[in-house]
Amino acid sequence: MMKRILLIAIAGLCSIALNALPDLRFEAETGIAIPGYNDVRIPNNDANTKFSLVDDLALDATLQKRVSIHWRISPRHQMSLMATPLTLKGEDKLSKNVVYQNRHFWQNDLVKTEYRFDSYRLQYRYLLPKEFYGIRAVGASLKLRDAEISLKSSSNYATKKNTGFVPLLSLNAGHRLTDKLDLSLEAEGLASPYGRAEDVFVGAYYDLHNLLRLKAGYRFLEGGSDIDEVYTFAAVHYAVIGFQAKLH
């Protein structure tokens, strides 16, 4: 229900933006998402096993996608909406006995794994009147995390869903090398005693003309939670390409 309400709100805001705001940009990217580490224990207690979806099982690389819409409300203020679904799947023999969600999966069981981490964000940024050591904008985001981890063998099945809001701080930095080539650093993240989240893009934009820019680079997504309900920390590496188009 929460996810549906947010998607309806995003669609409504996009419609308003398309019809009312003068400085509007649409951005899309795709590329390969490669699993890094992915450690899990759910619930986070001694009755369940801490194991790795990468080392004790397997997750395959996949094609990822991300879409954003940005509008400049005024010369110094920008709002953005972003959606990035991610599902990593794998199938492998389990390297050790695992108890997950109080269900038993045995060593050498052939187990199908699914790791889903969908992210939706509402972001505000203040664009600095003058760059400060390359920093161009600072702000904050509200992220809706919709996640699920599933294991399935011939004799057992267990899944855990987790949905919630996470606040993030953000910044944009960069350096224009030429009139057309612009190096860029986009970063969002926050940490607490209960977990952390980071999303960092390092790459470049190339201006084809004043309405269209190409982008390419590397993205790193990392984070997780360590609470009674779940222990889950993961990293994903992305090789991405995309574009940004000015709509108004």
Side-chain angles (χ1 to χ4, degrees):
M1 179 62 70
M2 187 184 301
K3 178 180 175 182
R4 185 178 300 173
I5 291 171
L6 184 65
L7 290 175
I8 292 171
I10 288 173
L13 289 171
C14 288
S15 178
I16 293 171
L18 285 168
N19 288 283
L21 295 172
D23 191 346
L24 192 66
R25 291 174 172 84
F26 174 78
E27 189 165 349
E29 69 178 51
T30 188
I32 301 298
I34 302 170
Y37 74 86
N38 198 314
D39 299 327
V40 176
R41 180 163 67 182
I42 302 176
N44 189 12
N45 56 44
D46 292 339
N48 288 269
T49 309
K50 183 178 178 182
F51 65 102
S52 169
L53 297 179
V54 174
D55 298 329
D56 299 312
L57 285 162
L59 289 173
D60 299 325
T62 189
L63 190 68
Q64 66 89 28
K65 49 193 175 294
R66 175 183 296 231
V67 294
S68 306
I69 189 162
H70 315 281
W71 66 88
R72 189 81 60 88
I73 300 171
S74 72
R76 295 283 169 257
H77 304 280
Q78 177 178 285
M79 299 293 296
S80 300
L81 295 166
M82 186 274 291
T84 175
L86 174 68
T87 299
L88 299 169
K89 297 182 179 181
E91 185 175 9
D92 199 9
K93 289 185 177 181
L94 192 57
S95 68
K96 66 181 183 182
N97 295 336
V98 165
V99 182
Y100 175 65
Q101 285 283 83
N102 300 310
R103 295 182 178 273
H104 290 265
F105 297 84
W106 306 108
Q107 184 176 3
N108 293 322
D109 275 355
L110 187 63
V111 176
K112 292 182 178 180
T113 310
E114 182 171 313
Y115 175 86
R116 181 174 60 82
F117 193 94
D118 300 336
S119 180
Y120 308 90
R121 295 178 213 168
L122 173 64
Q123 180 193 83
Y124 164 77
R125 274 186 176 166
Y126 175 74
L127 288 80
L128 302 179
K130 189 175 182 180
E131 287 187 12
F132 179 73
Y133 292 101
I135 298 175
R136 297 168 172 172
V138 294
S141 300
L142 183 63
K143 178 175 80 169
L144 173 63
R145 175 196 67 245
D146 186 20
E148 182 176 8
I149 299 173
S150 301
L151 301 184
K152 184 178 181 180
S153 69
S154 61
S155 59
N156 225 333
Y157 173 74
T159 189
K160 173 63 177 178
K161 297 181 180 180
N162 185 273
T163 302
F165 287 99
V166 179
L168 302 172
L169 300 177
S170 71
L171 67 85
N172 168 258
H175 177 68
R176 184 163 283 277
L177 288 179
T178 69
D179 290 342
K180 292 184 176 294
L181 186 62
D182 190 25
L183 300 182
S184 179
L185 168 67
E186 294 274 349
E188 291 185 291
L190 197 64
S192 77
Y194 309 104
R196 63 181 182 269
E198 306 101 46
D199 185 351
V200 180
F201 169 80
V202 180
Y205 288 85
Y206 183 80
D207 299 335
L208 291 180
H209 52 72
N210 62 339
L211 296 179
L212 183 64
R213 311 173 77 197
L214 302 181
K215 68 180 291 189
Y218 165 75
R219 185 178 294 281
F220 178 65
L221 183 71
E222 195 273 345
S225 299
D226 184 2
I227 56 177
D228 291 341
E229 183 182 359
V230 299
Y231 177 95
T232 171
F233 283 90
V236 184
H237 306 273
Y238 299 84
V240 302
I241 57 171
F243 69 91
Q244 184 183 95
K246 188 174 182 179
L247 303 180
H248 280 250

